[in-house]
Amino acid sequence: MLNTSRHAELSALKEPCLHTIYTPTGRTALCSNGMKKLLNVFVGLLASITAALCQVSVGPTETAGQIAHGVPHALNPHYIVPQARPFVSASATQVQIQEVQAAVEIVEQVATTTLDILLKNPSGTRLEAQVLSPVPANAVLRGFTFQGAGAEPTAEILTKEEALRIYDSIVAKTKDPALLEFAGYNSIRSSVFPVEARGTQKVRLIYETLLPADGDRVDYILPRTESVDYHTPWKVSVRIRSKTPIATIYSPSHALKVDRPSDHNLTAWLTQEATTEPGPFRLSVLLQKHELTASLLAYPDPKVGGGYFLLLAGVPSKHAENRSLKREVTLVLDRSGSMAGEKLEQVRAAALQVLEGLEDGEAFNIILYHESVESFAAEPVVKTSETMKAARTYLKNLRVRGGTNIHDALLEALRPKPLKGFLPIVLFLTDGLPTVGQTSEKAIREVASKGNPYERRIFTFGVGLDVNTPLLDKIALETRSTATFVLPGENVEAKVGKVFSHLTGPVLASPSMRTFKEVSKVPDGRVHDLLPARLPDLFEGDQMVILGQYQGDEPLRFTLQGNYLGEERTFQFKFDVSKATTANAFVPRLWASRKIAALTDAIRDLGADAGLASSILPATQPKMRELVEEIVRLSKEFGILTEYTAFLAREGTDLSRPAFVMNQATKNFEERAVHTRSGFGSVNQDNNNGYQRSQSCVNGRNSYWDAKMNRVSVSNVQQVNDRAFYRQGNRWVDSSVTTGNAAPVRTVEVGSEEFRRLAGQLAAQNRAGCIALDGEILLRVNEETVLVKGE
C-alpha cells in the first residue's frame, strides 16, 4: 500500500511542532518551534532596522503577518484563495481567478497534487498578489513557481492555527467570513508575486499528502468551497497507479469520466458539467483484494437512532473467459406506420449493432410488432455465422405499417424459457402510445411485474415525444433495467449502442442483500430504507452504491447473494460504524435524494389508474398527501429541490406556512407527475427521476431538466456541510430554524471575539462552512438560534 520512501517524511508532518518552507532550490526545510521563534526574532529585528533606516513606518501586526517564517510579503497584497468563493477585499481592484487545473497522481497511498492557477489583472496598474491555498493537515510542499520576473518564489506550509489567524485578520477587516469555510485545514502561503496591468499570471503549487486508508479503500480530498456563487472552472484529472488491482473509483462530489488501460492503472477526469460544480473534490479508490470488494462510509445522526451509510462495492473489470455469464438478448422492435423513414433505418442499424456485439455462443431473438406480433425464431437461438446471416436478411426485409400493440409484444418477449445458464435481456423499442389491443397503462405494467416468470431484464427505449414515458420507465424499473428516451433529432442507433455497450460481461446477476447478527445469523433489523430497494445487476467494471439508515453503534454485517459468473454465491461483509463522521455529509444527502425519487415514483404511478388520471386529485386524498408531505419534509431539511419543489427557494415563499407549502406542492405534483405522461414535459420528469433514483454524486446546484428540456438550477438554496440554507433577501436561513425558534437568541457580529469562538465551535463539528456564507446567517447551534451579521 505505501510508498515507503515518502511515508516517513509525510508521517513526520503529523507533528505540530514542524514547519515547512519551500525555497527556490526545491528543497523542503523543517524547523522546530524553538528555531522558528529564533528566526522570527531575527527577521523582526532585521525588519525594524530596515524600516528605521528607510524611515518607513511598519505596524507590528503587519510585520508579523508579512515576514513570518522568512517569507517576504507586501504590505497590502491581493490574497488569492483559489478554493474560496469571491469575497470582499480591502482593495478596490482585485486579481481575478480565471481557471484552475488540478493534476492529481496517486501512487499506492501517496497523492501528488499540482495546481496551475491562471490569474488576470483587469486594472491598468501592476498588482502584487499572494496565494493562500487550503491543504490537508499532512501536506508536504514540493514546489511553487510563477511566470515572469520578480523576487525569488518561496512558499511555506502554515498550520491550521496559523492559517486561521490570517483568515481572522482578513475577516476582521472585510467583515466577510468566506475564508472561515477552511478553518481546520493547513494552508500553503506563497511569497508575493506580480500580476502585470491588464495581464495574466500563471502560478503553480505542488504538494504531496499521505492518504488515509480504511481497509481496502483510500480517500483523497481537494478542498473547495461549497458556495453556489462560485463559478471558477476547475479542470481536475487523476492518474492512479497501484500494485494491487483497482476494483473501482468513486466520487460522491463530482461526475467523472474514466479510462482504464489495465487493472493497475486508471485515469479519470471531471466531466465538462462538473468543472463548475461547487464543493470539495472527493475521491475513493477501492482496491481489488477479493472477488467482490466492498467498503462503507457512515454519517452519525441521533435523530434516526444511529445514522446513514453508503456501501460501495466493486467487481473485477475483467474475468477469466471460462468463467462468464452469457447473455440472451431479445430485440423487440416497433414496426408501426409512424416508424417510417429515418427512424426505421436507425432502428435497423441499432439492431445489427447489438447482434454484432454479442459474443459467439451467446443467444438472441428478434420480435417485430405493429397491430400483430411476429418473431424471427420460436425461441432464442445461439449466435453463429448461420443464424447471423438469417438475422441480417430478416432485418433487411423489415417494413412498417399499422398501429402499436405494446401489450402483446411484451407478452411474447417474456414467454419463452431462456437458455440454461444465460442472463435474459430484452431491448424493447417503441415510438408511440399503445393504440391496439390492451392499451391500459396499468395492465401493460402488470405484464412486466407479474407476467415475467423468468425475470428478464427489460431495457426500454422511447423514440420521439409521442410515448408514454412513465410506462416505459416503470417497466424498466421493475426488471432491474433502465429507460432511455431518444428525442427528436437524436440518433436511435447511438442511444441503443450506448446502453448495450454497458451490458458487457455480466458478473453478478439478481443480487440481494440482507443484514444478520454475528452469532445467530438471523436478521438483526438494524438497517432500514435501503436504496435502491432492488439491486441492479453488475457488469464488468461496474460499481454498486447502496444507501440506507442504520440503528445502534454495533458493527454492521451484510450478506450479498447472487449469480456470480454463472454460480450462486454468497459474500459476507462486516463494517465498523464507529468511524462515522459528520464530514461524510454527502451520505445522508444522497440517501434523501434517492428517497425523494422513490416517493415521486409512487406519485407518478397514481396516473396509471385511469380513474385517478381523469380528474384532479383532491388535496385531501390520503395517499397523495402522505407522499407529498414526506417529499416536502426531506426537500426542506436537506435542501434537495426538484421541478415540483423548486418554489420552496423562490423569493417570497414563506416556509413557515405549512398549509401554503403543501397546497403548492400538491398542485405541482398533480399537474405534472400525475397527469403529464407524454411529450417534452413527461420526458424531462422521467429523465430527472431516473437520474435521482440512482444518484451517487451530490447535486449542489439542484440542477434539473425543466418541462422544455432546458437545464436549470436553483440558486436560492445552499447545501453546506450537513445543513441546508434558504436565501431570504440578504439572509441565509438554516432549514432547521422553524416557526417556533425563528427569533434569534443572540446576535453575533462578524469579526468579533464571540464570532471567532462560534467559528471554532462549528469547525470542530465539521460545519465551518455554515458560518462562511455571504450576507446574514440565521442558524441553529446546539439548540440555540443565532443570527450572524456583518457590517
Side-chain angles (χ1 to χ4, degrees), residues 724-764:
F725 290 83
Y726 292 83
R727 196 199 303 266
Q728 297 180 2
N730 189 42
R731 177 179 293 183
W732 288 101
V733 180
D734 189 339
S735 65
S736 63
V737 176
T738 61
T739 53
N741 55 21
V745 174
R746 58 190 172 105
T747 300
V748 177
E749 296 291 334
V750 172
S752 67
E753 183 60 35
E754 186 179 13
F755 175 81
R756 283 190 286 273
R757 288 195 300 269
L758 179 61
Q761 182 181 354
L762 289 171

Side-chain angles (χ1 to χ4, degrees), residues 427-438:
L427 303 183
F428 192 100
L429 187 146
T430 183
D431 81 327
L433 300 168
T435 58
V436 176
Q438 176 58 266

Side-chain angles (χ1 to χ4, degrees), residues 99-174:
E99 178 185 273
V100 180
Q101 294 187 7
V104 183
E105 184 166 5
I106 300 175
V107 180
E108 305 302 338
Q109 205 175 328
V110 176
T112 302
T113 303
T114 301
L115 298 180
D116 287 321
I117 307 162
L118 180 61
L119 307 174
K120 181 180 180 180
N121 176 3
S123 74
T125 59
R126 174 175 172 170
L127 298 176
E128 301 291 320
Q130 184 177 17
V131 169
L132 289 172
S133 180
V135 293
N138 63 353
V140 174
L141 184 60
R142 291 299 177 199
F144 165 63
T145 58
F146 58 83
Q147 293 177 333
E152 288 186 314
T154 58
E156 63 181 333
I157 294 280
L158 303 178
T159 66
K160 62 182 180 181
E161 292 80 13
E162 292 167 330
L164 184 57
R165 282 196 290 271
I166 293 177
Y167 299 159
D168 281 340
S169 67
I170 296 173
V171 171
K173 292 177 183 177
T174 64

Side-chain angles (χ1 to χ4, degrees), residues 248-439:
T248 190
I249 65 169
Y250 166 64
S251 174
S253 60
H254 293 79
L256 296 173
K257 290 186 175 180
V258 179
D259 178 42
R260 186 171 189 150
S262 75
D263 287 346
H264 301 267
N265 293 273
L266 187 149
T267 302
W269 59 97
L270 265 60
T271 63
Q272 182 60 40
E273 297 79 9
T275 58
T276 54
E277 279 295 305
F281 171 61
R282 299 177 182 272
L283 183 72
S284 291
V285 181
L286 193 59
L287 301 178
Q288 189 74 52
K289 293 186 178 179
H290 313 281
E291 290 178 298
L292 189 68
T293 305
S295 187
L296 187 130
L297 298 112
Y299 170 93
D301 189 347
K303 296 195 301 292
V304 299
Y308 298 84
F309 70 86
L310 182 154
L311 190 151
L312 173 66
V315 297
S317 60
K318 299 290 182 182
H319 52 76
E321 292 184 3
N322 62 342
R323 294 187 63 209
S324 62
L325 185 60
K326 295 181 179 180
R327 296 168 294 180
E328 176 195 287
V329 177
T330 301
L331 291 163
V332 185
L333 308 178
D334 186 346
R335 56 175 295 192
S336 60
S338 58
M339 287 292 294
E342 185 180 11
K343 282 194 290 187
L344 176 62
E345 295 306 315
Q346 290 182 2
V347 167
R348 184 184 284 119
L352 286 171
Q353 181 185 29
V354 169
L355 297 181
E356 297 289 354
L358 290 172
E359 299 289 338
D360 288 342
E362 293 188 308
F364 70 91
N365 200 358
I366 305 169
I367 295 175
L368 306 179
Y369 70 98
H370 39 60
E371 65 268 10
S372 60
V373 181
E374 65 179 55
S375 299
F376 167 72
E379 59 185 23
V381 297
V382 174
K383 180 184 177 181
T384 64
S385 58
E386 291 78 15
T387 55
M388 278 299 297
K389 181 179 179 180
R392 293 189 190 98
T393 302
Y394 187 74
L395 289 171
K396 183 179 179 180
N397 295 327
L398 175 60
R399 298 292 183 269
V400 298
R401 64 178 176 82
T404 306
N405 191 340
I406 291 177
H407 181 274
D408 289 359
L410 195 57
L411 272 177
E412 179 59 25
L414 303 181
R415 177 191 56 78
K417 184 177 182 180
L419 300 177
K420 185 176 181 181
F422 285 66
L423 177 65
I425 297 171
V426 174
L427 303 183
F428 192 100
L429 187 146
T430 183
D431 81 327
L433 300 168
T435 58
V436 176
Q438 176 58 266
T439 60

Side-chain angles (χ1 to χ4, degrees), residues 237-253:
S237 62
V238 184
R239 182 185 177 191
I240 304 170
R241 289 181 290 159
S242 173
K243 294 178 180 178
T244 305
I246 302 167
T248 190
I249 65 169
Y250 166 64
S251 174
S253 60

Side-chain angles (χ1 to χ4, degrees), residues 36 41 84 218 244 250 478 708 765:
K36 176 189 170 187
V41 171
V218 175
T244 305
Y250 166 64
E478 290 282 351
K708 296 181 179 179
Q765 300 171 359

